[in-house]
Amino acid sequence: MATTSDSPQIARGVRRRVADATPLVAGLTGEISSLSDADLVSAVEEVEALVRQVDALKVRVAGEVDVRSDPLDGDRVGDDRLAIAFGCRNATELLERTTRASVPELRSRVRLDRRTRDRHHLMTGESTTRYPIVAQAFRDGAIGIDIARHLTDELDHASKTHHIDPDEKRTAEREIIGATVAGLTGAESASECDDALPSTFDEYRTLAQVWIEFLTRDGVEPDDDWQARRRGFSLGRARNGLVPVRGDLIPEVAAGIQRLFDAYAGSRTLFAPGTPEPGTDQSTPWNGDEKYDDPRTAIQRNHDVLGSIVQAAARSADAPSLGGAAPTLVVTTTISDLDGGIVDVDGVDVAAPARLAHRIVCTGAVQKMVFDRNGRIVQIGNRERLFNTHQRRAIATRDGGCIIPGCSIPAGWCEIHHVDEHAHGGETHTDNGVLLCWNHHHNLEGSGWGIRMRDGVPLVKAPGWVDRRQIYRPIRTKRTEREKVRRRTAAAPPPRSITAPLL
């Protein structure tokens, strides 16, 4: 394997061809809207074919940088390594500075190149490739980078977790790529398979899975040690105001979470828009027949259920402490942002609106810190755990769960909302607190739902499209129903006595 160009003419030719190709496609995005339907569909195919060639080049150049920078893989050592010569620690840093691509993407390119490039063995003088069929199809542009990555990942994983016959593995690679290339290009199958050939990525993936199951015989048996090593969960770096999550869960944990999602996110309810039935007024409680449309998507409901679970766990007496004290959210802000500006919440690297801080105050232990414009601390608030255990138990007994009609989130997963905001002088009292699930608490202001208290009893007003009259009505609980039955029984006339006839 040559680590430098054998001919300056070849080097100039490679760079010139790459440089000449760039102006040919520059500016074409502005002309796409003028294409006819037929031309647009053809352009989609042609652009994808071009991208496959470019992806193969990106993988190969990244891999070559890796070879010339790795003392264990290449033939350069010390300061002669490529990355060191250009002032970088390793190949990844050099690629990151030259491509501006993300580190995970660059590592993925290098990993794919290691699996598909020719490796020269000094002892035997031979060159071998881990996945030669994948490598040839990828470099020819017959398959894309997604298939090349997926198949090599699957075969590598199967080899690590099972004892696979090398000849069967090579046969699987040949059959999968042969059928896939034939299906995607419309050519005759190189594997002489009578079955339908894959024409989409999903169909290819099904074919690949069947071969993986064959290689591992009785299906992919879980490898406890491998699962234990790979399990994990982490929070990523915030972007666009959201924090991504990533990780791998062992099956029983994933199943448990899915069951919770199914139990509480799957109970969608619907309200018929318009005025409620005649006879309903301020004294008529909401009932189970009146339901409202839930505009959230399935994954948004999953997120909100997870939020409720996290808040419930944080409030638990069994939750571990931080520094000997209960977990405390630290909310920091400047004097100028104290009312209506932005705040920073300890634990996430993204600024939040001040109203979020007021809402967080309802959910647990919070400590407020105020800075002046120069960064000096000018105010440190005492840690407050609003609504103590006894108050929460009393409110939970009264409300039974989230008080928004149709919501099925139980009391243990709910947060306590100050009807009159704590920041505006609202008291931390059972007469000023109601149970709301994570979703309804965090979206109350813009949802159209309204809440007020009357003699310590919550009253709920539906959005205008549900009830045009915009009246507040009490929530319906077993306790209120028992009281209603008791009143009706007390107001009913006593039953007439009936004298039994003499026999």
Side-chain angles (χ1 to χ4, degrees):
M1 174 181 56
T3 57
T4 57
S5 176
D6 294 330
S7 169
Q9 184 176 359
I10 295 178
R12 288 193 298 268
V14 170
R15 296 184 60 187
R16 183 176 64 253
R17 290 169 64 184
V18 173
D20 290 346
T22 303
L24 295 177
V25 297
L28 289 181
T29 54
E31 303 177 19
I32 296 300
S33 59
S34 63
L35 296 178
S36 65
D37 291 351
D39 289 338
L40 178 60
V41 173
S42 297
V44 170
E45 296 185 59
E46 292 160 358
V47 168
E48 192 62 28
L50 175 62
V51 168
R52 287 196 292 269
Q53 295 288 350
V54 173
D55 282 343
L57 278 174
K58 288 161 61 176
V59 168
R60 185 72 276 277
V61 296
E64 189 62 27
V65 170
D66 175 61
V67 170
R68 301 186 187 189
S69 302
D70 188 353
L72 300 178
D73 197 19
D75 53 7
R76 298 187 180 187
V77 294
D79 294 341
D80 191 39
R81 288 178 290 162
L82 181 62
I84 299 298
F86 279 81
C88 298
R89 299 187 310 275
N90 49 41
T92 301
E93 182 183 353
L94 177 56
L95 289 168
E96 183 182 13
R97 294 183 181 278
T98 53
T99 65
R100 282 79 170 178
S102 67
V103 171
E105 168 62 22
L106 295 172
R107 287 175 177 168
S108 178
R109 295 178 192 176
V110 170
R111 184 166 57 250
L112 180 56
D113 186 76
R114 288 175 178 175
R115 296 170 177 172
T116 56
R117 69 173 176 239
D118 292 335
R119 292 176 175 269
H120 183 72
H121 298 274
L122 297 178
M123 298 295 295
T124 63
E126 298 178 353
S127 294
T128 60
T129 305
R130 286 173 61 185
Y131 297 103
I133 309 299
V134 174
Q136 190 62 50
F138 181 47
R139 292 172 186 172
D140 291 345
I143 62 173
I145 193 172
D146 48 356
I147 291 179
R149 281 175 174 168
H150 180 269
L151 183 54
T152 55
D153 281 344
E154 290 294 303
L155 291 174
D156 261 17
H157 173 60
S159 299
K160 291 176 181 177
T161 57
H162 295 78
H163 297 291
I164 296 178
D165 184 274
D167 292 335
E168 291 184 346
K169 183 178 178 181
R170 286 191 290 269
T171 300
E173 179 190 2
R174 182 177 64 252
E175 294 294 314
I176 294 171
I177 293 300
T180 301
V181 170
L184 296 180
T185 61
E188 295 183 1
S189 174
S191 60
E192 300 179 357
C193 179
D194 295 331
D195 297 332
L197 299 175
S199 58
T200 65
F201 182 84
D202 283 343
E203 292 176 356
Y204 143 76
R205 184 162 49 190
T206 300
L207 174 64
Q209 185 60 39
V210 171
W211 273 100
I212 295 296
E213 291 173 355
F214 167 75
L215 293 176
T216 55
R217 292 301 186 267
D218 296 327
V220 181
E221 293 292 335
D223 185 307
D224 291 340
D225 291 338
W226 185 86
Q227 290 177 350
R229 292 193 302 269
R230 289 294 302 272
R231 77 189 191 283
F233 181 85
S234 64
L235 300 178
R237 180 175 299 176
R239 57 175 183 267
N240 299 324
L242 296 172
V243 179
V245 296
R246 61 178 63 90
D248 295 286
L249 305 179
I250 59 177
E252 54 266 37
V253 173
I257 293 176
Q258 187 60 54
R259 294 295 291 171
L260 292 172
F261 287 163
D262 294 342
Y264 290 103
S267 57
R268 298 187 62 186
T269 53
L270 299 173
F271 257 125
T275 304
E277 295 182 2
T280 58
D281 54 25
Q282 289 90 337
S283 63
T284 306
W286 294 97
N287 60 69
D289 296 329
E290 297 173 284
K291 302 175 182 179
Y292 70 99
D293 181 34
D294 189 347
R296 296 174 295 168
T297 64
I299 60 175
Q300 288 172 337
R301 292 196 300 274
N302 288 346
H303 170 278
D304 297 346
V305 169
L306 181 61
S308 297
I309 296 172
V310 170
Q311 292 294 344
R315 289 192 302 268
S316 172
D318 295 329
S321 62
L322 292 174
T328 302
L329 275 180
V330 178
V331 179
T332 60
T333 185
T334 62
I335 293 178
S336 58
D337 289 327
L338 191 56
D339 294 316
I342 61 173
V343 298
D344 293 309
V345 181
D346 186 32
V348 293
D349 53 355
V350 60
R355 68 176 183 274
L356 174 63
H358 301 319
R359 192 166 61 228
I360 290 176
V361 168
C362 297
T363 65
V366 178
Q367 186 174 36
K368 180 174 65 178
M369 295 185 182
V370 181
F371 295 80
D372 64 13
R373 292 178 178 82
N374 297 321
R376 178 188 177 191
I377 299 175
V378 296
Q379 180 182 345
I380 301 178
N382 293 326
R383 186 178 68 87
E384 304 175 42
R385 181 173 291 278
L386 303 175
F387 291 108
N388 60 39
T389 302
H390 302 293
Q391 291 172 318
R392 167 171 283 278
R393 185 180 300 116
I395 294 173
T397 303
R398 181 196 65 200
D399 296 347
C402 179
I403 66 170
I404 298 299
C407 185
S408 60
I409 299 298
W413 289 12
C414 287
E415 303 170 356
I416 300 184
H417 167 66
H418 284 81
V419 178
D420 294 328
E421 288 190 17
H422 180 270
H424 296 161
E427 295 183 1
T428 303
H429 191 279
T430 54
D431 287 349
N432 191 42
V434 296
L435 292 184
L436 291 177
C437 70
W438 188 94
N439 169 59
H440 288 120
H441 192 195
H442 285 242
N443 298 292
L444 184 63
E445 293 182 7
S447 67
W449 291 95
I451 302 172
R452 66 170 53 160
M453 304 294 289
R454 184 177 65 192
D455 298 329
V457 176
L459 305 178
V460 179
K461 178 189 70 174
W465 63 271
V466 173
D467 185 359
R468 298 188 183 95
R469 298 172 302 172
Q470 294 286 274
I471 61 174
Y472 284 85
R473 297 163 56 187
I475 62 175
R476 185 173 187 147
T477 64
K478 291 182 179 179
R479 185 185 56 79
T480 59
E481 288 303 297
R482 292 194 198 100
E483 184 62 27
K484 186 192 305 183
V485 171
R486 188 177 297 112
R487 288 198 306 267
R488 289 180 177 176
T489 304
R496 293 182 301 170
S497 60
I498 301 177
T499 303
L502 295 175
L503 298 178

